[in-house]
Amino acid sequence: MATLVPPPPAAAAAEAIKPEKVDYMDLPCPIPYEEIHREALMSLKADYFEGMRVDFTKGLNQRFSLSHSIAMGPTELPSQSAEVIKIPTANYEFGANFIDPKLMLIGRVLTDGRVNARVKCDLSENLTMKANAQLTSEPHMSHGMFNFDYKGSDYRTQFQLGNGGLLGASYIQSVTPHLSLGGEVFWAGQHRKSGLGYAARYNTDKMVASGQIASTGMVALSYVQKVSEKVSLASDLMYNYMSRDVTASFGYDYILRQCRLRGKIDSNGCTSAFLEERLSMGLNFIISAEIDHMKKDYKFGFGLTVGE
C-alpha cells in the first residue's frame, strides 16, 4: 500500500498565500466620484462651530419630522489683515424632513431670510436624481444644482447642471476589487472656464488611499488607516500648483460605546477637537474646540442634540 507523504512546509506555506483568482466580470461598484475622500473627510472635517447650538428634532410619524435649531456665537468677517474680526450673531432655523426609501425631501428656513432645500429621488434601481438650492435676499447669492447619478454593476457616472451655466460630468470605474479610477470634466459658462480632473482610490478592510488632481491646480491626497474597530487614523494633503499653497493635516477618530471623539492638527499649527457624548437615548452633548496660536484665534462651542 502506498504511503501518503505530506507536502514540505515551504510548499504548504506557498499554497496558503497563493492569491485568489480575480473575476474581472464581477467587480464591486465604486463609490461616487465626489466621495472618494469620504473616510478622510469624516475624520478630519467634523462640524466645528463656535458658541452655543441646540438642535431639536421631533418625529411626527415614520417618514415625516420637524426640526428646530438655535445657534448663538460670533461670526468671522472677511479681512485683509491677519487680525481676526468677529461680530456676535444669533439665528433660528426651522426645518421639515420627509424620508422615504425612494424619496427624501429636506427644507430649512432661517431668520436671516435664507431658504435651503434638498431633494433625493430614486428614479429607478440604478438612476438617482439629487437637487439642492439656496434662496437668499442678497443679490447673486442664490444658487441651485441638479445631479443625476447612474450606478452600474462596476462603475458610476454622474451629470451635474447648475445655475450660471455650470455643467459637469464624472465617471469612475472599478479596475480591480480594490482599485478604482475615474475622471471628471466641467464647464462654468458664466465665467467661461473649463477644467478636467482625475482620481484614484485604493481600499481594503484596513485602509483607504485616495488621490485627486485637477487642471485648476488642485492636488488632494488622503490616507485612512483603520487601527481597530473603534480607532482610525487619517491624514490629507492639499496642494495648489498654481498658487503654491500647501496644507497637510493629521487626525484621529475614536468611537467609544457612549461617545465619539475626533481631532486633528494641521501644518498651519491649528489644533481641533470634536466630542459627541450620548447622555441618554435621543440626547447628545457636543463640545467643539479649535486653537490657532499663530492667528491668536480660539474657538470653543458646546451644544445639545435632542431627538433622533
Side-chain angles (χ1 to χ4, degrees):
M1 177 180 291
T3 303
L4 296 178
V5 180
E15 184 176 353
I17 63 175
K18 185 179 179 181
E20 298 182 1
K21 186 177 180 180
V22 178
D23 183 4
Y24 289 97
M25 301 301 294
D26 188 25
L27 294 176
C29 182
I31 67 173
Y33 185 92
E34 60 186 9
E35 299 181 13
I36 61 169
H37 301 287
R38 178 170 61 189
E39 292 80 3
L41 292 176
M42 290 178 62
S43 299
L44 300 174
K45 307 294 183 183
D47 187 16
Y48 298 105
F49 64 97
E50 185 176 10
M52 185 273 291
R53 191 176 76 185
V54 177
D55 300 314
F56 174 76
T57 302
K58 175 64 175 179
L60 302 182
N61 53 46
Q62 294 183 349
R63 299 179 180 180
F64 190 69
S65 63
L66 300 177
S67 64
H68 308 268
S69 300
I70 299 175
M72 292 183 289
T75 300
E76 291 187 17
L77 294 179
S79 175
Q80 298 295 333
S81 63
E83 182 181 0
V84 179
I85 302 176
K86 300 181 180 181
I87 60 172
T89 59
N91 63 69
Y92 165 76
E93 177 184 283
F94 172 76
N97 313 298
F98 178 83
I99 299 178
D100 186 75
K102 293 187 177 182
L103 177 64
M104 181 179 70
L105 303 174
I106 297 177
R108 297 289 185 270
V109 179
L110 286 80
T111 52
D112 59 7
R114 285 179 295 165
V115 178
N116 300 320
R118 290 175 52 197
V119 178
K120 180 182 178 182
C121 179
D122 293 335
L123 303 178
S124 67
E125 292 185 359
N126 297 327
L127 181 61
T128 301
M129 186 274 291
K130 302 176 184 178
N132 62 80
Q134 181 182 79
L135 303 178
T136 178
S137 58
E138 300 180 20
H140 310 294
M141 295 302 293
S142 299
H143 63 83
M145 176 78 71
F146 284 91
N147 189 315
F148 295 90
D149 183 0
Y150 185 82
K151 179 181 178 181
S153 59
D154 58 359
Y155 69 92
R156 281 181 184 264
T157 182
Q158 291 179 315
F159 178 75
Q160 294 178 336
L161 174 64
N163 64 323
L166 177 62
L167 299 174
S170 64
Y171 179 86
I172 186 167
Q173 170 77 54
S174 292
V175 294
T176 73
H178 302 291
L179 178 65
S180 54
L181 303 175
E184 66 173 342
V185 59
F186 68 88
W187 164 255
Q190 185 175 1
H191 304 286
R192 303 192 66 82
K193 290 183 179 181
S194 61
L196 294 171
Y198 306 94
R201 174 185 166 95
Y202 185 86
N203 66 284
T204 65
D205 295 336
K206 293 293 184 179
M207 54 81 67
V208 178
S210 303
Q212 191 174 8
I213 185 172
S215 59
T216 55
M218 185 271 295
V219 178
L221 304 174
S222 66
Y223 179 82
V224 177
Q225 178 69 45
K226 191 173 183 180
V227 180
S228 66
E229 291 294 328
K230 298 182 179 180
V231 182
S232 298
L233 301 178
S235 62
D236 70 349
L237 175 70
M238 304 294 293
Y239 174 65
N240 191 309
Y241 57 81
M242 299 288 191
S243 61
R244 304 298 181 183
D245 293 332
V246 59
T247 304
S249 60
F250 173 80
Y252 59 88
D253 190 348
Y254 193 16
I255 301 176
L256 297 173
R257 186 171 64 90
Q258 290 289 102
C259 73
R260 181 179 184 181
L261 177 62
R262 286 174 283 178
K264 71 170 183 177
I265 182 171
D266 61 29
S267 56
N268 295 323
C270 182
T271 305
S272 308
F274 191 84
L275 172 67
E276 298 171 276
E277 177 78 22
R278 186 170 188 176
L279 302 179
S280 63
M281 181 67 68
L283 179 62
N284 296 333
F285 180 63
I286 303 173
I287 298 178
S288 174
E290 290 184 87
I291 300 176
D292 191 338
H293 291 291
M294 297 183 64
K295 294 183 178 180
K296 296 182 179 179
D297 185 19
Y298 310 103
K299 302 177 182 179
F300 298 95
F302 67 93
L304 284 175
T305 301
V306 184
E308 295 293 340

